[in-house]
Amino acid sequence: MINNRVGTRLFLRTFFLQSLWNFERLQNIGFLYVLYPVFKKLYPDKEKRKEILLRHVGFFNTNPYMANIVFAMIINAEEEIAAGKSANTKKPEMLKSVMSGPIAAIGDSFFWGTWRPVTAFVAILLSILAINIFDADFLWVAPVAFIFLYNVVHILFRYWIFVISFRLNEQMIKLVAKFEITYIGDIVRIIGIAAVFTTLYFYFDLFGFAPAVNIYSMDCTIPEIGIYGVILLFSFVFGKIRPVIMFYCAILFSFVIGYLGL
Amino acid sequence: MIETVILLSVLGAFLSMDITMFGQFMISRPIFAGPLIGYILGDIQTGFWLGMIVEMMWINTVPLGSSIPVDLTMMTVLSVSWTCLHFKGSQDGAIFALAMAIPFAYLYREIDIGGRNFNTKIMHWIEKGLEQGKEYRISLGLYSGLGLFLLRAFIVYAVFMILGGLIYVNMKVYIPVTLEIAFKKAWYYLPVFGFGLVLHNFKNVVRFPFFNRKK
């Protein structure tokens, strides 16, 4: 039933999952929008289709990158029901509620908690290197590297789980359970930590030890390496403070340092 | 000037759309949005530096579940635009712009919450339509939600850019020298605060994976 053309169309529609995000049922309309072409094919009778659409208009929420697993499994379940191979009409609803939470936890922790910060930081490292070596001529490297690194993994992963979930169907649950996401996440985080320390070295080399090789060639005060150490330790230890408070504290700290003439 | 504001507002609205409404390709993140706006306005350095600061200080800010975080894209776009349009190349001007853009970003968050409440009404309209067999309401409602978001974001960006810009320029002139020095120092200190926060974020590597794998 799902040929390449329909599959591609469905895949492109998945990017709209949160376009009508609302507080009451979160991604429910996005969910209907993605699956509508499938329902139209499976249930040509309008009255029957109405019943199916109303059945799927309820609450839906998961990580948008991982949602493709749920979509593929629900399409398989609906195909079985429409073909008369299964009479369990509650199965799609059950799949929605059972799968959404666990896969959301995996997606949130890996993509938003690990992959995004690490790729962003690798991009920052490349820029600091560019400033160090080429004197700010290659700053465009940071945004390009970030978008490229992040999306190569993100889009390929989204496509891969969409395709593989169709093939494996319920076996996908076993595959998800086997995902060594904590292990992969730890490796990526260690790369992130290495990137932070490398950036710190180059940053201090640029702006900390000697008259600054400034990002601008204009006069400025030269921060001391000791002050940097205090700031680094403070923000590392009190990292749970709300960022907005931390920001204004940093401004206040800079004011005090400037006022004292340090 | 007005053409630039319109261009930046359209671009800002499209970048903000990436946060939740479409795709999540991360073009809304400050590390991308900052240099992009800076490049357009002829000062990629300021764009990159402000983007880097916001990216690192708000490293954990992502929309999860039903939480609506502060709009980092607006924070970055406004601060980079104000600096590049009025005090290009000024370190103290850039940090002051960022300090001013934060309350505007929080204000926009409240407007965004209002918009998402309106999405609930559209959702009920679609549901009612489905009961009456009007299936076209799924696509129409979804595209309307997307369109209204873009329109709302565009208007807010334009108003904030003009009004905030006026406030920014007038206040910047009266900033005392001691505060200017503080902002210049903060230009270098804030990334270090960011490095510490990123390290804090990564510190939950509780086990070294190569030696401590589960059997």
Side-chain angles (χ1 to χ4, degrees):
Chain A
M1 168 61 83
I2 304 297
N3 55 32
N4 280 345
R5 206 172 68 88
V6 178
T8 309
R9 201 172 157 207
L10 285 180
F11 179 68
L12 293 176
R13 280 182 167 235
T14 59
F15 294 112
F16 290 88
L17 176 63
Q18 302 198 108
S19 294
L20 200 72
W21 192 99
N22 58 84
F23 284 109
E24 198 177 299
R25 295 184 214 164
L26 281 74
Q27 301 164 336
N28 69 331
I29 299 299
F31 178 89
L32 274 187
Y33 176 79
V34 174
L35 293 183
Y36 182 68
V38 177
F39 294 146
K40 212 170 173 184
K41 275 204 162 191
L42 289 176
Y43 302 101
D45 176 51
K46 214 174 172 186
E47 276 307 304
K48 181 70 185 160
R49 194 162 68 234
K50 182 170 130 182
E51 187 190 310
I52 305 301
L53 289 171
L54 285 170
R55 202 175 71 203
H56 281 292
V57 84
F59 180 90
F60 182 68
N61 183 44
T62 192
N63 179 285
Y65 297 173
M66 304 294 282
N68 290 1
I69 297 177
V70 184
F71 290 140
M73 287 170 75
I74 286 177
I75 291 168
N76 284 337
E78 287 289 358
E79 271 184 342
E80 281 177 12
I81 295 165
K85 290 177 190 168
S86 168
N88 187 0
T89 52
K90 287 187 177 164
K91 190 178 170 185
E93 271 303 300
M94 191 198 70
L95 281 172
K96 259 167 91 173
S97 57
V98 169
M99 290 298 290
S100 303
I103 61 167
I106 294 171
D108 291 347
S109 111
F110 181 73
F111 281 102
W112 289 342
T114 305
W115 186 240
R116 182 191 51 77
V118 170
T119 46
F121 207 85
V122 167
I124 289 169
L125 167 64
L126 289 174
S127 303
I128 297 290
L129 279 175
I131 297 170
N132 210 323
I133 299 165
F134 303 107
D135 196 20
D137 283 341
F138 287 83
L139 273 178
W140 54 268
V141 167
V144 173
F146 170 61
I147 291 301
F148 179 75
L149 274 175
Y150 185 85
N151 283 311
V152 160
V153 172
H154 152 221
I155 295 171
L156 285 179
F157 180 82
R158 247 171 134 156
Y159 185 75
W160 175 73
I161 56 162
F162 195 46
V163 173
I164 201 98
S165 301
F166 270 120
R167 288 197 199 136
L168 294 178
N169 198 16
E170 278 159 39
Q171 295 297 313
M172 192 63 194
I173 299 170
K174 285 183 187 169
L175 185 71
V176 170
K178 277 185 187 168
F179 273 178
E180 292 253 23
I181 209 77
T182 321
Y183 176 64
I184 298 166
D186 279 351
I187 292 173
V188 175
R189 268 194 292 271
I190 284 169
I191 293 169
I193 290 171
V196 176
F197 280 109
T198 316
T199 312
L200 273 173
Y201 170 78
F202 284 107
Y203 189 85
F204 286 179
D205 190 35
L206 269 174
F207 306 118
F209 295 109
V213 184
N214 203 334
I215 191 166
Y216 293 120
S217 54
M218 58 186 281
D219 286 340
C220 69
T221 50
I222 311 301
E224 296 282 339
I225 189 77
I227 297 170
Y228 279 161
V230 171
I231 294 171
L232 194 65
L233 193 68
F234 176 84
S235 53
F236 176 69
V237 174
F238 298 103
K240 280 194 176 161
I241 295 175
R242 286 176 64 194
V244 63
I245 295 171
M246 186 71 95
F247 177 86
Y248 288 113
C249 280
I251 300 287
L252 187 67
F253 177 81
S254 309
F255 180 78
V256 172
I257 293 288
Y259 188 76
L260 295 175
L262 292 172
Chain B
M1 180 73 168
I2 195 73
E3 292 93 341
T4 313
V5 169
I6 290 171
L7 170 76
L8 293 174
S9 304
V10 169
L11 194 60
F14 273 100
L15 290 173
S16 282
M17 193 173 75
D18 178 71
I19 301 173
T20 49
M21 304 297 275
F22 177 78
Q24 288 86 50
F25 300 108
M26 297 297 142
I27 56 169
S28 55
R29 292 303 300 184
I31 192 65
F32 181 80
L36 180 70
I37 300 293
Y39 176 77
I40 290 168
L41 296 175
D43 187 3
I44 192 169
Q45 284 102 326
T46 300
F48 164 72
W49 207 259
L50 291 178
M52 176 178 76
I53 290 169
V54 178
E55 183 71 52
M56 290 197 293
M57 294 209 75
W58 278 267
I59 191 95
N60 276 326
T61 305
V62 278
L64 291 175
S66 57
S67 70
I68 309 291
V70 59
D71 193 311
L72 301 181
T73 319
M74 174 149 292
M75 201 186 284
T76 313
V77 171
L78 286 182
S79 56
V80 176
S81 307
W82 289 337
T83 313
C84 295
L85 289 174
H86 304 292
F87 297 98
K88 195 180 271 184
S90 158
Q91 293 170 337
D92 52 308
I95 299 299
F96 178 55
L98 183 54
M100 256 194 69
I102 293 170
F104 280 93
Y106 273 93
L107 180 60
Y108 177 64
R109 179 178 171 266
E110 299 307 313
I111 296 168
D112 195 27
I113 289 171
R116 284 161 197 259
N117 277 324
F118 189 72
N119 280 356
T120 309
K121 286 184 181 167
I122 300 177
M123 186 266 288
H124 285 301
W125 176 76
I126 294 170
E127 192 178 20
K128 216 172 211 177
L130 290 176
E131 283 164 8
Q132 296 160 359
K134 295 172 181 171
E135 294 171 5
Y136 66 89
R137 283 194 184 183
I138 298 172
S139 302
L140 185 63
L142 186 126
Y143 293 139
S144 304
L146 209 53
L148 283 174
F149 173 85
L150 278 174
L151 185 68
R152 187 172 70 231
F154 168 75
I155 292 169
V156 174
Y157 265 106
V159 171
F160 283 5
M161 218 169 273
I162 295 167
L163 281 183
L166 282 173
I167 299 168
Y168 169 69
V169 171
N170 285 300
M171 281 179 75
K172 174 77 176 64
V173 181
Y174 294 104
I175 286 180
V177 180
T178 43
L179 205 55
E180 263 183 21
I181 293 169
F183 287 142
K184 275 188 180 181
K185 281 185 177 291
W187 172 271
Y188 293 99
Y189 291 161
L190 280 166
V192 185
F193 272 98
F195 296 144
L197 289 172
V198 175
L199 275 177
H200 177 88
N201 184 56
F202 290 150
K203 82 175 187 336
N204 57 344
V205 182
V206 286
R207 62 208 176 98
F208 200 72
F210 303 106
F211 300 110
N212 246 346
R213 278 189 78 178
K214 275 188 287 184
K215 294 271 182 342

